[in-house]
Amino acid sequence: MSEASTDQGSSTRPYLIRALHDWCTDNGFTPYLAVYVDRSVQVPLEYVKNNEIVLNIGFEATSGLKLGNEFIEFKARFGGRAREIVVPVDHVVAIYARENGQGMAFPAPTVAEPPAETAAPAAPSPAPQGLRLATAEPEAAAPAPVEDDEAATPEPPPEPPTPGRPSLKRIK
């Protein structure tokens, strides 16, 4: 092991995931895990959308939950069928409480392969999609293009953000 790797220490991601899981369960919230899916992730692929799956990792929804430093492992029922789930910790892109959206987002893995069943080349998306951490200041949005000389009806302005801590919101 080189000196540089020992100076940085191990990743904080598994520790933060465990801490937020504990916080959710201690407060009666349901912990959800958003996961980037590629070939190294073992989840039911029929539930994967846009290379992402959201998993309920509450004790009521899982059996044998292990929140390890390298992998998150558990058994869960999907459509009434028990499935073994294995998620590399570096593929977790967020953990949050279902009830209020509070939690933490993480960067997606740097080297990512498509899921095994979607190995055919797909059109690249212009921007990464998935979870973003909401900020106190709204981002400027580009206006939607108008097609076929139709008049665009303006959308009502978004509600101003409430002051306080940012919360995690699901953007689709």
Side-chain angles (χ1 to χ4, degrees):
M1 188 177 266
S2 70
E3 267 187 54
S5 63
T6 57
D7 288 343
Q8 285 186 324
S10 59
S11 172
T12 58
R13 192 179 301 206
Y15 300 93
L16 294 169
I17 291 169
R18 284 191 292 269
L20 285 165
H21 182 272
D22 288 348
W23 175 81
C24 285
T25 55
D26 288 352
N27 287 284
F29 299 137
T30 308
Y32 273 18
L33 204 65
V35 177
Y36 180 83
V37 178
D38 66 11
R39 291 181 183 162
S40 65
V41 178
Q42 183 179 324
V43 295
L45 294 177
E46 61 269 25
Y47 295 95
V48 174
K49 292 185 180 149
N50 297 326
N51 290 3
E52 185 179 283
I53 189 168
V54 176
L55 302 166
N56 177 346
I57 59 166
F59 290 120
E60 299 81 22
T62 63
S63 172
L65 178 64
K66 294 178 192 169
L67 299 171
N69 287 347
E70 298 295 323
F71 294 96
I72 295 171
E73 302 174 70
F74 59 94
K75 290 182 181 149
R77 296 185 89 61
F78 290 85
R81 187 171 156 224
R83 306 288 277 274
E84 186 77 29
I85 307 300
V86 179
V87 175
V89 168
D90 67 342
H91 282 59
V92 174
V93 293
I95 180 169
Y96 59 97
R98 180 190 72 192
E99 292 78 4
N100 62 15
Q102 290 185 0
M104 181 175 281
F106 302 101
T110 53
V111 178
E113 303 173 33
E117 290 186 9
T118 58
S125 64
Q129 296 192 2
L131 297 174
R132 290 189 315 167
L133 192 59
T135 59
E137 297 178 21
E139 294 180 12
V146 178
E147 297 179 13
D148 299 333
D149 296 334
E150 292 179 12
T153 55
E155 293 184 21
E159 293 181 29
T162 57
R165 296 175 48 180
S167 62
L168 192 66
K169 293 184 182 177
R170 179 120 175 112
I171 307 295
K172 289 191 177 191

